Short mmCIF file of all heavy atoms in Angstrom, two decimals:
data_model
loop_
_atom_site.label_atom_id
_atom_site.label_comp_id
_atom_site.label_asym_id
_atom_site.label_seq_id
_atom_site.Cartn_x
_atom_site.Cartn_y
_atom_site.Cartn_z
N LEU A 145 -1.72 37.90 -19.00
CA LEU A 145 -2.76 37.05 -19.52
C LEU A 145 -3.20 35.91 -18.58
O LEU A 145 -4.40 35.72 -18.39
CB LEU A 145 -2.31 36.47 -20.89
CG LEU A 145 -2.25 37.36 -22.08
CD1 LEU A 145 -1.58 36.67 -23.26
CD2 LEU A 145 -3.63 37.89 -22.47
N LEU A 146 -2.21 35.28 -18.01
CA LEU A 146 -2.45 34.03 -17.23
C LEU A 146 -2.40 34.25 -15.71
O LEU A 146 -2.99 33.49 -14.99
CB LEU A 146 -1.44 32.92 -17.60
CG LEU A 146 -1.47 32.46 -19.06
CD1 LEU A 146 -0.31 31.52 -19.35
CD2 LEU A 146 -2.76 31.83 -19.41
N GLY A 147 -1.67 35.27 -15.34
CA GLY A 147 -1.43 35.53 -13.83
C GLY A 147 -2.72 35.61 -13.04
O GLY A 147 -2.83 34.92 -12.05
N PRO A 148 -3.69 36.52 -13.40
CA PRO A 148 -4.88 36.61 -12.63
C PRO A 148 -5.71 35.29 -12.45
O PRO A 148 -6.23 34.96 -11.43
CB PRO A 148 -5.68 37.68 -13.41
CG PRO A 148 -4.69 38.48 -14.14
CD PRO A 148 -3.66 37.46 -14.52
N SER A 149 -5.79 34.56 -13.59
CA SER A 149 -6.57 33.25 -13.58
C SER A 149 -5.88 32.31 -12.60
O SER A 149 -6.57 31.62 -11.76
CB SER A 149 -6.63 32.65 -14.93
OG SER A 149 -7.34 33.55 -15.84
N LEU A 150 -4.52 32.13 -12.73
CA LEU A 150 -3.80 31.22 -11.90
C LEU A 150 -3.85 31.63 -10.42
O LEU A 150 -3.93 30.81 -9.49
CB LEU A 150 -2.37 31.05 -12.37
CG LEU A 150 -2.21 30.30 -13.69
CD1 LEU A 150 -0.80 30.39 -14.21
CD2 LEU A 150 -2.59 28.83 -13.52
N SER A 151 -3.81 32.96 -10.21
CA SER A 151 -3.92 33.52 -8.87
C SER A 151 -5.24 33.21 -8.25
O SER A 151 -5.36 32.83 -7.09
CB SER A 151 -3.65 35.00 -8.84
OG SER A 151 -3.69 35.52 -7.56
N ALA A 152 -6.32 33.28 -9.06
CA ALA A 152 -7.67 33.01 -8.56
C ALA A 152 -7.83 31.52 -8.23
O ALA A 152 -8.37 31.08 -7.22
CB ALA A 152 -8.69 33.49 -9.59
N LEU A 153 -7.29 30.66 -9.14
CA LEU A 153 -7.40 29.23 -8.97
C LEU A 153 -6.58 28.74 -7.70
O LEU A 153 -6.90 27.83 -7.02
CB LEU A 153 -6.79 28.46 -10.19
CG LEU A 153 -7.73 28.59 -11.44
CD1 LEU A 153 -6.95 27.94 -12.57
CD2 LEU A 153 -9.09 27.97 -11.25
N ARG A 154 -5.50 29.44 -7.41
CA ARG A 154 -4.68 29.14 -6.25
C ARG A 154 -5.45 29.26 -4.95
O ARG A 154 -5.15 28.65 -3.93
CB ARG A 154 -3.44 30.04 -6.25
CG ARG A 154 -2.45 29.72 -5.14
CD ARG A 154 -1.18 30.49 -5.43
NE ARG A 154 -1.32 31.90 -5.46
CZ ARG A 154 -1.07 32.75 -4.46
NH1 ARG A 154 -0.71 32.25 -3.27
NH2 ARG A 154 -1.25 34.04 -4.60
N GLN A 155 -6.48 30.18 -4.91
CA GLN A 155 -7.22 30.40 -3.69
C GLN A 155 -8.21 29.27 -3.34
O GLN A 155 -8.72 29.21 -2.27
CB GLN A 155 -7.97 31.71 -3.82
CG GLN A 155 -7.12 32.92 -4.18
CD GLN A 155 -6.05 33.16 -3.22
OE1 GLN A 155 -6.16 33.06 -2.00
NE2 GLN A 155 -4.82 33.57 -3.73
N ILE A 156 -8.49 28.42 -4.32
CA ILE A 156 -9.44 27.34 -4.13
C ILE A 156 -8.77 26.24 -3.32
O ILE A 156 -7.61 25.74 -3.68
CB ILE A 156 -9.94 26.82 -5.45
CG1 ILE A 156 -10.64 27.93 -6.23
CG2 ILE A 156 -10.91 25.60 -5.24
CD1 ILE A 156 -10.97 27.51 -7.60
N ALA A 157 -9.36 25.79 -2.22
CA ALA A 157 -8.78 24.67 -1.40
C ALA A 157 -8.67 23.47 -2.28
O ALA A 157 -9.54 23.10 -3.10
CB ALA A 157 -9.75 24.44 -0.23
N ILE A 158 -7.62 22.66 -2.08
CA ILE A 158 -7.32 21.50 -2.97
C ILE A 158 -8.47 20.53 -2.92
O ILE A 158 -8.82 19.94 -4.01
CB ILE A 158 -6.00 20.89 -2.62
CG1 ILE A 158 -5.60 19.84 -3.67
CG2 ILE A 158 -5.99 20.35 -1.22
CD1 ILE A 158 -4.20 19.35 -3.60
N PHE A 159 -9.11 20.26 -1.78
CA PHE A 159 -10.13 19.24 -1.74
C PHE A 159 -11.42 19.71 -2.34
O PHE A 159 -12.27 18.86 -2.61
CB PHE A 159 -10.30 18.79 -0.31
CG PHE A 159 -9.11 18.04 0.20
CD1 PHE A 159 -8.32 18.62 1.22
CD2 PHE A 159 -8.77 16.82 -0.30
CE1 PHE A 159 -7.20 17.97 1.62
CE2 PHE A 159 -7.59 16.16 0.16
CZ PHE A 159 -6.83 16.71 1.12
N ALA A 160 -11.57 21.03 -2.61
CA ALA A 160 -12.75 21.47 -3.30
C ALA A 160 -12.70 21.07 -4.82
O ALA A 160 -13.74 21.17 -5.47
CB ALA A 160 -12.84 23.00 -3.14
N TRP A 161 -11.58 20.63 -5.29
CA TRP A 161 -11.44 20.21 -6.69
C TRP A 161 -11.98 18.84 -6.90
O TRP A 161 -12.14 18.39 -8.07
CB TRP A 161 -9.94 20.27 -7.09
CG TRP A 161 -9.43 21.63 -7.30
CD1 TRP A 161 -8.73 22.39 -6.39
CD2 TRP A 161 -9.54 22.42 -8.48
NE1 TRP A 161 -8.40 23.57 -6.91
CE2 TRP A 161 -8.86 23.64 -8.28
CE3 TRP A 161 -10.10 22.21 -9.73
CZ2 TRP A 161 -8.73 24.63 -9.17
CZ3 TRP A 161 -9.98 23.22 -10.70
CH2 TRP A 161 -9.31 24.37 -10.38
N VAL A 162 -12.26 18.03 -5.85
CA VAL A 162 -12.61 16.63 -6.01
C VAL A 162 -13.82 16.44 -6.90
O VAL A 162 -13.76 15.67 -7.89
CB VAL A 162 -12.80 15.98 -4.63
CG1 VAL A 162 -13.39 14.60 -4.79
CG2 VAL A 162 -11.48 15.86 -3.90
N PRO A 163 -14.94 17.15 -6.70
CA PRO A 163 -16.11 16.90 -7.59
C PRO A 163 -15.84 17.21 -9.08
O PRO A 163 -16.24 16.46 -9.98
CB PRO A 163 -17.17 17.81 -7.05
CG PRO A 163 -16.76 18.16 -5.67
CD PRO A 163 -15.26 18.12 -5.67
N LEU A 164 -15.10 18.31 -9.30
CA LEU A 164 -14.72 18.65 -10.69
C LEU A 164 -13.82 17.64 -11.34
O LEU A 164 -14.00 17.32 -12.50
CB LEU A 164 -14.10 20.11 -10.63
CG LEU A 164 -14.06 20.78 -12.00
CD1 LEU A 164 -15.47 21.03 -12.49
CD2 LEU A 164 -13.36 22.13 -11.79
N LEU A 165 -12.81 17.25 -10.63
CA LEU A 165 -11.87 16.27 -11.21
C LEU A 165 -12.49 14.96 -11.46
O LEU A 165 -12.26 14.28 -12.48
CB LEU A 165 -10.66 16.10 -10.25
CG LEU A 165 -9.71 17.26 -10.11
CD1 LEU A 165 -8.60 16.98 -9.13
CD2 LEU A 165 -9.16 17.70 -11.41
N THR A 166 -13.40 14.51 -10.54
CA THR A 166 -14.05 13.23 -10.83
C THR A 166 -15.08 13.35 -11.97
O THR A 166 -15.30 12.40 -12.78
CB THR A 166 -14.86 12.76 -9.59
OG1 THR A 166 -15.68 13.81 -9.09
CG2 THR A 166 -13.85 12.31 -8.49
N ALA A 167 -15.65 14.51 -12.20
CA ALA A 167 -16.47 14.78 -13.37
C ALA A 167 -15.73 14.76 -14.66
O ALA A 167 -16.17 14.24 -15.64
CB ALA A 167 -17.29 16.06 -13.20
#
Side-chain angles (χ1 to χ4, degrees):
L145 288 173
L146 300 173
S149 299
L150 289 171
S151 182
L153 292 174
R154 183 169 61 97
Q155 305 304 319
I156 300 171
I158 187 169
F159 293 111
W161 287 95
V162 171
L164 197 59
L165 292 180
T166 53

